[in-house]
Amino acid sequence: MDSGRLENIFVASAAFVMMSSAYLIKLKRKRRRRWWMVSLNKSRDRYSATHMLQDLKREPSGKFENFCRMSAVDFEFLLNKIGPLITKRDTNKRKAIPVQETFCVALRFFAIGDSFKILSYLCKMSPQTVSTCVFEECNASC
């Protein structure tokens, strides 16, 4: 082989190694989160969907039936049937969302068909959490 051809192979090999190492470094970088939870959702401790459901159950005006599209008795019956399948445990990093809230979010989605974004504002959860609640509810009821 002549020296010009060897030089071209060497340059191409070096370029390949440089490009592949740059690509691997780019893959290893992960996006750093700026926060764990949006501040709007952090106020869930003060007033959450659980509190709202309790207030609606106490109110004799039928607002619970309008909100959940079923009576409180039917809600509790279904919650007792499906609750054990969708219940989450608290971890060291965060508290689990109560099963009443996840069930209520899924019911509201099925009854009204609101978007995950709108339900996230209503129940103080991220849209991703709302979608997880809905899909877990679907899997549990099958």
Side-chain angles (χ1 to χ4, degrees):
M1 283 195 179
D2 62 355
S3 65
R5 189 165 182 202
L6 280 175
E7 188 176 319
N8 287 342
I9 292 173
F10 178 72
V11 169
S13 300
F16 176 76
V17 169
M18 297 279 289
M19 289 173 57
S20 61
S21 65
Y23 179 73
L24 290 175
I25 289 171
K26 190 175 185 180
L27 282 180
K28 288 182 183 180
R29 281 189 216 149
K30 290 185 179 180
R31 191 181 87 196
R32 296 183 63 118
R33 289 189 173 199
R34 291 180 296 202
W35 54 79
W36 186 262
M37 184 186 298
V38 178
S39 61
L40 175 70
N41 295 344
K42 285 181 183 177
S43 66
R44 190 180 333 160
D45 293 338
R46 285 182 282 155
Y47 192 79
S48 64
T50 302
H51 298 116
M52 181 179 60
L53 286 173
Q54 290 171 352
D55 291 346
L56 288 172
K57 282 182 187 177
R58 277 187 249 134
E59 185 72 30
S61 64
K63 299 223 183 236
F64 183 86
E65 288 81 7
N66 188 22
F67 185 77
C68 290
R69 301 291 196 237
M70 66 176 61
S71 68
V73 175
D74 291 339
F75 181 85
E76 290 298 324
F77 175 77
L78 286 175
L79 185 62
N80 288 332
K81 291 283 186 183
I82 272 186
L85 301 173
I86 61 174
T87 301
K88 302 286 184 191
R89 288 187 284 171
D90 292 342
T91 64
N92 292 336
K93 295 191 180 212
R94 61 181 144 173
K95 293 171 60 176
I97 298 171
V99 70
Q100 303 95 311
E101 288 186 35
T102 59
F103 186 60
C104 178
V105 166
L107 281 179
R108 188 78 180 158
F109 176 77
F110 297 139
I112 305 298
D114 284 343
S115 69
F116 293 153
K117 190 79 152 174
I118 291 171
L119 288 172
S120 72
Y121 290 124
L122 176 69
C123 296
K124 295 185 178 183
M125 300 176 189
S126 70
Q128 294 83 9
T129 304
V130 171
S131 71
T132 302
C133 294
V134 170
F135 292 128
E136 284 177 355
E137 177 72 29
C138 289
N139 289 334
S141 63
C142 290

